[in-house]
Structure formats: structure tokens, C-alpha cells
Amino acid sequence: MSKRPLEEPIQPPKLSKSGEAAAEIKVTTKRQKNSSSEWTPSSWTTKPIKQEVVYNDLAKVQKALAKLEQLPPIVTPTEIIKLRKSLRDVALGKAFLLQGGDCAELFDYCEENAIESKIKLLLQMSLVLIWGANRPVVRIARMAGQYAKPRSSPTEMHEGNEIPSFRGDILNGYAVEDRTPDPARLVSAYYHSAATLNFIRASLASGIADLHSPLDWELGHVKDEKIRAQYTRIVDSITESLQFMRTVGADSSASGLETVDLYTSHEGLLLEYEQSLTRRLKHPPSHPAFLPARVSSDQQVNGHQESASDGKGWYNTSAHFLWIGDRTRQLTGAHVEYFRGLENPIGIKVGPTMTSPELIALLDVVNPPKDIGKVTLITRYGEHKIASLLPDHIEAVKESGHVVVWQCDPMHGNTKSTPSGVKTRQFSSILSEVSSALRIHREQSSFLGGVHLELTGDAVTECVGGSEGLTEGDLSVNYTTYCDPRLNEKQSLEMAFLVAGHYRDEKRA
């Protein structure tokens, strides 16, 4: 049965008396934790916060967070630093970043076929991009933790009644009767994330990405003969190259052909959860030679003197890569405060309301040493606004001395609703913003380092357009998202071909 997001109201929320009391308890508790200006994993609690969650039972929240603090890391410092070094290459134009996955990941997506379909789609897309851009592709999935979603209001109207908005499986359920935030979901989110990443690792280790047998990557529901023919030509070209390597004996040590790196990411929205999985861990041998954390050597952390030479840093172990959303990027807010202390590479969503001075101030706060590639700027303007906003942002970043990864998110600025209230996105608008980003970066002597897409490996009907010719009348066929519309597997692969085609054409010019 098709599912459609409930409409979000434009009126301000009306909290119950019990909700107001819970909020007051939460704020008081937070203010008692840390009153200094120094960074610790909990120093965000001294700052104003957006998208705050109000729970009815504080004792259950503390129990859930205590459990999370005892659980082992989901990702490791070695993996995090490896990604950070790869993103440095992206920032320097030596690699391309492909990031994609569900808008709002559900616990039900922690299932073999759902995970495998996304892995295969990202592998297919990266293969096309490697062919087009002639450079390595860094793959980051919006998986294994993308369970929290920001909303424009904490409540919405449903059948004439005001109910809490669905804010992701980590907080509440989509069913109307499950909308009260439940602290037990915090621990459940950890286990679903860990299980998802475990299956990803096992699949990659078992050869799902082995380039010796690329034809095992089925195209699924993709029926378009032109796209299929393009993909087949690429696969044939790779197969011929591999056959030549086998013939001359050059593939005997080419273990890199049998697997790939696939990293995980999510929006770092729910800071209580993120703090509980933030650990002070030993740097791996590959850690670059710079100060490990966003604190100086003479600051106090956790009540003791810390030295930059102790060989440790603060790692968020819930994912390899986290980003700050456009709704929570306040310069003096809780989310920026939390993110500034992490060793992880981080992203910042850059929307139409971001001014150039604010952007540079943010970069200075989260990355004072100006480490190359530490920050990914994920631009999300909309197809009609990008031309007036992106050039100034590029120029400002250049003048600041920061070297960032520029990534285009063509999804969030191009969302619209049909007359019947169904949210959708037009494929041509998504492509238009990506094409504009490619052109503007070239004109500014910059380069687009990557794309950030909401997509799924299933044959959903949520975005209209593309070579399949989906119309608004087709949306009800298989509209399954619980939040924002996603590109289906066919539209995603088509987008990869179009981006790759741009790079091929640029080389010929």
C-alpha cells in the first residue's frame, strides 16, 4: 500500500502542559552539566538548540543514553581518518564524492534486499562516474544511522487533530498512535545501525563489488534501453581491460579490484545520541600531523590537563561522516558547538539564507587550522537561486583560505507539492541545479567535488520526469517514502550518466 507524508502545518506548535514541564526539566538538567566555554562532548548543552526533542520521562532517556555509552563503537578511527584523507583528495580535485541514500532511513530498511539494492546502485553509479570523470570515486551512503529528520514544526494536523510530527524512527513512529517520542528508540537505532553496517561490510568482503564480475550487478527495474546500452558499454570496456590484465599477469596483486570502501553518514541532529557515541580514542598511524582536536593544548577537557601530544582525539563513532543541517547551523548554537570538536570529516548544508560572512565564520569555528577537506559544503539552493548565490560563496571561501569539498545537493531546494498535497521533485530541476553547479564552478576556476542525492534502489515513483517519463499521475503507483521524495534506481543511474557525460564532454572541449 502506498504511503504519503502527512502535511506539515504552518501554524506554530501548541505544547501540552506536560510537554512544557518536560522541556523545563530538560533545559535545567542540561545547563547544570557544563558552564565553561571549553569544548567537551557535552559542551553543546550550554548553547541554544534547534529541533530539540521533548521526552515525557527523563529517567528513561538517561537510562537509554547510559546504555549507549557502554556499547562499542560502530565505526573506528582508522576508517574515519581514511575517509578524511580521501576527502582531502576530493577537495584538491583528485577524486569525486558520491553520497546518496534514503531521506529518512527506517528500522524496517535493515533487511538484506533493501541494503543490497542500495549498495549495488551506489556501485553502479560510481562505476559510471569513474568512467566519466576518470578519477577515483569516494562513496558515502546515507545509511546505517539516518534515522532522525528535522521538521519545520514539531506538530502537524491529521484528520483535524494536532499530533506530533514524524521525526524519524530514532524518535517516534510514523503511525499516528506511535508519535510520542520514545527513549527506547535511541538504543534501537544503535542496533539497527550496527546491523546494517555489519551487512554492508560482509557484502563487500564477499565480493559484491568485485570488478572481475561486474555483470553480476543487475540493473533491477531499469528498463530504458539507452541507459542499459550505455552501462553495458562501460562494463564491456572494464571487462576487456581486466581480461588484458589477466593475460599479462598484472592482476595477481590487484586486490583493490575485489572490493571498495563504502562509508556511512547521517545528519548529526539528535545530539544526545551523538554525544553518547563520542569517544576519546587513540589516533591511527595514518592520522595526519596536526593538532588532533579543536581544543588547544592548555585547555581543560573532562577535568584534566590535555596535551596535543597524547595521541588521542574525540571521534564520533556512530558514523564515518556527519553533517549539520540547514536548520541547525546557527553560529552560536548547540550543533555547531558539538561539531567543532570532532575528528570526523563533517558537512555543512548551505542554503539560500546563508550569507558569505556567516559561511566563513562557520568554517573558522569548525575548522580553525583550515585542514584541507575536513569540511564538505553541501549546497542546496534550488535551481532558480543557485546562479545568484553560489558564485559569491565560492569567492568568499577562496579568499578565506579554506579548502573545502564543494558538493551539490540538488534535492532539497527543488521540493514542491502537487495540488493534492503530495511532495515531489522534478528530475529536470534536479539536473538543472547540478548542471548549474558544474558550470558555475568552472567559471569561478573552482570545481564541483561531488553530489549528494536522496535515492533508493527500489522502483519507487516519488520524483517525476526522467527518461521513464513519470508524471504526477504516477506518484500513487509506488510512493513509499515517509518524508521526502527520492530518485528511484533508474533516475539515479541516469543522473550518474548525465554527470559523467559532462566530464567526458569537458575533456573533448
Side-chain angles (χ1 to χ4, degrees):
M1 181 177 178
S2 297
K3 312 173 189 68
R4 298 189 301 184
L6 300 177
E7 287 300 294
E8 293 185 0
I10 58 175
Q11 69 270 20
K14 299 177 181 178
L15 297 177
S16 65
K17 291 183 179 179
S18 60
E20 291 173 347
E24 184 178 350
I25 292 173
K26 185 180 178 91
V27 170
T28 301
T29 303
K30 285 166 52 177
R31 295 301 179 265
Q32 292 173 345
K33 290 182 181 179
N34 188 333
S35 60
S36 74
S37 60
E38 299 162 4
W39 192 90
T40 70
S42 64
S43 60
W44 65 269
T45 61
T46 67
K47 306 290 184 178
I49 188 170
K50 299 290 186 179
Q51 299 288 319
E52 187 171 26
V53 181
V54 176
Y55 292 98
N56 292 331
D57 192 327
L58 188 59
K60 289 184 178 179
V61 176
Q62 293 172 334
K63 180 180 179 181
L65 297 179
K67 176 63 176 177
L68 289 173
E69 291 173 356
Q70 296 175 348
L71 292 170
I74 297 176
V75 301
T76 68
T78 298
E79 295 168 335
I80 291 169
I81 296 304
K82 187 176 183 180
L83 172 59
R84 188 162 165 177
K85 294 177 69 176
S86 294
L87 290 176
R88 176 186 171 88
D89 288 340
V90 176
L92 295 174
K94 300 177 182 178
F96 190 86
L97 171 59
L98 171 64
Q99 188 170 7
D102 287 296
C103 166
E105 193 178 6
L106 302 182
F107 292 163
D108 286 346
Y109 295 168
C110 184
E111 176 268 328
E112 178 181 358
N113 293 329
I115 299 171
E116 194 171 87
S117 68
K118 294 186 189 74
I119 296 175
K120 287 183 176 181
L121 178 57
L122 289 171
L123 293 173
Q124 290 167 358
M125 294 176 70
S126 64
L127 178 62
V128 172
L129 290 168
I130 292 170
W131 168 80
N134 194 30
R135 66 186 68 169
V137 170
V138 180
R139 306 162 187 86
I140 303 180
R142 289 174 56 116
M143 291 174 66
Q146 180 54 16
Y147 297 122
K149 286 298 296 182
R151 302 308 295 266
S152 58
S153 171
T155 64
E156 62 187 8
M157 299 305 296
H158 176 64
E159 297 180 353
N161 298 313
E162 188 175 25
I163 63 172
S165 297
F166 173 60
R167 300 175 67 179
D169 268 0
I170 195 172
L171 293 175
N172 58 1
Y174 185 80
V176 173
E177 63 272 18
D178 295 331
R179 292 299 181 92
T180 300
D182 180 3
R185 288 177 172 268
L186 296 167
V187 178
S188 186
Y190 170 93
Y191 285 120
H192 282 88
S193 297
T196 298
L197 183 52
N198 179 66
F199 183 74
I200 291 173
R201 286 174 170 145
S203 297
L204 293 174
S206 299
I208 192 174
D210 189 350
L211 284 182
H212 288 91
S213 54
L215 288 174
D216 290 344
W217 300 354
E218 298 179 3
L219 292 181
H221 299 281
V222 177
K223 306 299 181 184
D224 185 279
E225 291 300 324
K226 183 178 179 181
I227 294 178
R228 184 179 292 276
Q230 287 178 307
Y231 179 80
T232 301
R233 285 197 297 271
I234 296 171
V235 171
D236 289 344
S237 176
I238 294 174
T239 302
E240 290 176 5
S241 298
L242 291 173
Q243 182 59 49
F244 173 78
M245 293 173 67
R246 293 190 195 101
T247 301
V248 300
D251 72 335
S252 58
S253 61
S255 59
L257 298 175
E258 298 170 358
T259 188
V260 299
D261 293 317
L262 180 62
Y263 301 99
T264 61
S265 68
H266 61 260
E267 179 176 354
L269 184 64
L270 195 58
L271 295 183
E272 292 91 344
Y273 178 83
E274 305 301 344
Q275 177 190 328
S276 298
L277 291 171
T278 302
R279 311 286 164 78
R280 185 154 182 80
L281 301 173
K282 186 177 180 181
H283 294 311
S286 57
H287 190 280
F290 52 77
L291 290 178
R294 300 290 79 84
V295 292
S296 61
S297 59
D298 60 349
Q299 285 183 324
Q300 296 287 327
V301 176
N302 288 344
H304 66 276
Q305 186 77 16
E306 170 177 88
S307 170
S309 62
D310 71 350
K312 295 182 179 181
W314 290 104
Y315 291 86
N316 181 305
T317 65
S318 70
H320 302 104
F321 178 97
L322 297 97
W323 71 86
I324 306 173
D326 197 45
R327 291 183 175 96
T328 55
R329 55 170 175 75
Q330 294 75 28
L331 190 59
T332 59
H335 288 81
V336 171
E337 170 62 22
Y338 171 75
F339 271 71
R340 76 181 179 92
L342 299 179
E343 288 289 343
N344 305 61
I346 63 172
I348 299 174
K349 286 290 186 84
V350 180
T353 60
M354 175 82 84
T355 65
S356 292
E358 181 188 10
L359 176 57
I360 303 310
L362 271 173
L363 289 173
D364 288 341
V365 169
V366 299
N367 186 25
K370 298 183 179 179
D371 298 325
I372 298 174
K374 171 69 163 62
V375 179
T376 296
L377 295 181
I378 311 168
T379 59
R380 42 148 299 174
Y381 307 110
E383 64 169 327
H384 300 301
K385 297 180 180 180
I386 183 172
S388 63
L389 296 170
L390 180 56
D392 288 343
H393 285 160
I394 293 174
E395 189 60 31
V397 173
K398 279 184 181 180
E399 293 178 357
S400 74
H402 287 276
V403 181
V404 303
V405 173
W406 287 101
Q407 187 183 35
C408 178
D409 169 5
M411 309 296 290
H412 287 88
N414 295 300
T415 306
K416 65 175 186 177
S417 293
T418 67
S420 60
V422 180
K423 287 199 292 186
T424 188
R425 289 159 174 160
Q426 174 64 246
F427 183 87
S428 61
S429 297
I430 296 169
L431 177 61
S432 173
E433 184 159 357
V434 174
S435 299
S436 294
L438 288 163
R439 173 183 55 80
I440 292 169
H441 277 285
R442 183 175 64 251
E443 293 172 351
Q444 298 290 120
S445 299
S446 177
F447 52 86
L448 181 66
V451 290
H452 186 121
L453 304 170
E454 289 185 336
L455 54 82
T456 178
D458 300 326
V460 299
T461 55
E462 297 169 3
C463 294
V464 297
S467 62
E468 191 177 10
L470 291 179
T471 67
E472 291 183 1
D474 297 316
L475 294 178
S476 60
V477 174
N478 193 27
Y479 194 105
T480 62
T481 182
Y482 284 79
C483 196
D484 291 336
R486 304 159 293 178
L487 295 171
N488 62 30
E489 84 299 330
K490 182 174 182 179
Q491 293 166 326
S492 300
L493 192 56
E494 183 178 357
M495 182 65 65
F497 274 116
L498 292 170
V499 174
H502 165 85
Y503 285 105
R504 300 283 285 196
D505 293 341
E506 198 174 58
K507 291 174 187 175
R508 298 189 187 102

